[in-house]
Amino acid sequence: MRTFNPKEIPTAAFHSLMLGTIAPRPIAFASTLDKDGNVNLSPFSFFNCFGSNPPILVFSPARRVRDNTGKHTLENVLETGEVVINIGNYAIVEQMSLASTEYDKGVNEFIKAGLTPVESTLVKPPRVKEAPAAFECRVLEVKPIGDQGGAANLVICEALLLHVQDEVFGADGTTIDPFKLDAVARLGGDWYLRATGDALFELPKPVRNKGIGIDQLPQHIRNSNVLTGNNLARLGNTEVIPSEAEVQAFLREPIYQYLLQKHQDNPTEKERQTHLLAQRLLEEGRVADAWKALLA
């Protein structure tokens, strides 16, 4: 493992390493107005949410690394104290990227990027019609962290209203369907992530139960040469392991009977194949059956 001290290498080099490793990062597609009413629209991947009561969003229009200049978005939020944080998705990702072009002050990126401004309800900056969601925000504080190139400017915002397109809700009508949202995020360099397809997976939250933990797994499971740390953690998130009767019933399953008969003369291979079966069951979300296979 290589170690990097930010005080010993150029800021641009450490900046690149940071953005390459702290990823993916959500994108705040921020629309603002200056004191004269000129519109600015620009994406920032130094962004996230930090509370829900009150709802707090923070993004950072950092000072440019190459020449230590500030950004129009920062100037605008300091002048007006308002911003709309639009959420970009794959349908508009290239338009969002185009809006990051360093146009002269006063140039309207809505026009340059071919996006449609929509009048907001509680704040003056417009929101992006094409965005799947948009937060109307009041700026609570702008906290500069340093004054050199690359220095952060934390724009701490309170969300006053949230607009969400009907099309991105799930079947229950109350939660966001990530496949319909089709969100994008930034990685390092020119790379982005599209949150769709195999990139999306579900993972049961440990807060719903108190699992036994990896340390309580039987030794032959914990020391498996097949099961990964993720596999062991999924098993360790189990509160109650299958009973002996349930394990015995699993022994009669065709899938296990085939494995048993095929490798009955080779205990080492039988164990390996059993762990491979359990791994496949875990990947299918069949945690209880994976337990039964391993305990059999």
Side-chain angles (χ1 to χ4, degrees):
M1 178 171 282
R2 298 166 64 185
T3 301
F4 301 89
N5 186 330
K7 299 185 184 303
E8 296 177 354
I9 63 175
T11 300
F14 199 81
H15 178 88
S16 177
L17 291 167
M18 282 185 65
L19 270 59
T21 53
I22 303 174
R25 300 181 307 281
I27 303 169
F29 198 16
S31 49
T32 58
L33 296 177
D34 66 15
K35 64 180 186 301
D36 297 320
N38 296 307
V39 177
N40 183 268
L41 179 65
S42 187
F44 299 93
S45 69
F46 293 172
F47 163 62
N48 220 307
C49 55
F50 291 86
S52 56
N53 187 20
I56 299 298
L57 310 181
V58 180
F59 73 101
S60 175
R63 300 190 68 82
R64 295 183 180 90
V65 173
R66 67 175 182 276
D67 58 9
N68 193 24
T69 55
K71 298 178 180 177
H72 298 145
T73 298
L74 177 62
E75 297 171 4
N76 291 354
V77 296
L78 287 170
E79 290 178 358
T80 67
E82 295 182 339
V83 60
V84 175
I85 297 179
N86 303 278
I87 302 301
N89 63 359
Y90 188 73
I92 62 170
V93 64
E94 298 220 26
Q95 291 169 284
M96 186 165 59
S97 176
L98 180 58
S100 70
T101 303
E102 294 179 7
Y103 295 111
D104 293 337
K105 185 173 177 60
V107 172
N108 187 334
E109 286 85 0
F110 274 91
I111 296 173
K112 289 293 186 182
L115 293 166
T116 309
V118 176
E119 185 175 353
S120 296
T121 305
L122 298 180
V123 298
K124 292 180 180 178
R127 54 190 176 89
V128 176
K129 179 181 179 181
E130 292 81 1
F135 294 85
E136 295 188 22
C137 299
R138 175 175 59 233
V139 177
L140 301 180
E141 181 182 356
V142 178
K143 187 174 182 61
I145 311 292
D147 57 7
Q148 300 301 305
N153 293 288
L154 304 183
V155 182
I156 303 171
C157 309
E158 179 181 355
L160 305 177
L161 282 180
L162 167 61
H163 306 274
V164 183
Q165 289 182 355
D166 292 336
E167 292 79 5
V168 301
F169 282 100
D172 63 4
T174 60
T175 56
I176 305 299
D177 184 327
F179 292 94
K180 294 178 179 178
L181 182 65
D182 203 7
V184 291
R186 285 287 280 124
L187 293 89
D190 292 337
W191 290 95
Y192 284 73
L193 170 75
R194 182 181 186 183
T196 190
D198 292 340
L200 296 177
F201 60 94
E202 289 187 287
L203 187 63
K205 294 182 180 180
V207 296
R208 295 173 184 162
N209 57 278
K210 186 177 290 186
I212 62 174
I214 291 177
D215 63 317
Q216 296 300 308
L217 300 180
Q219 186 174 2
H220 78 280
I221 298 176
R222 194 167 66 248
N223 297 333
S224 172
N225 292 323
V226 172
L227 300 175
T228 67
N230 281 339
N231 297 150
L232 297 179
R234 181 64 68 94
L235 294 168
N237 193 34
T238 303
E239 284 187 289
V240 180
I241 65 176
S243 66
E244 179 64 25
E246 291 174 314
V247 173
Q248 291 301 316
F250 184 80
L251 287 171
R252 296 189 290 273
E253 291 288 332
I255 189 173
Y256 190 75
Q257 281 294 313
Y258 172 78
L259 184 153
L260 189 66
Q261 293 171 13
K262 184 175 182 180
H263 304 289
Q264 59 183 336
D265 297 327
N266 189 336
T268 300
E269 182 61 17
K270 179 187 132 184
E271 181 177 46
R272 191 179 81 87
Q273 290 297 326
T274 298
H275 285 212
L276 286 170
L277 170 61
Q279 186 175 61
R280 189 169 79 246
L281 292 169
L282 287 171
E283 291 169 352
E284 294 172 357
R286 298 167 59 185
V287 180
D289 286 341
W291 265 110
K292 293 170 190 176
L294 291 167
L295 295 175

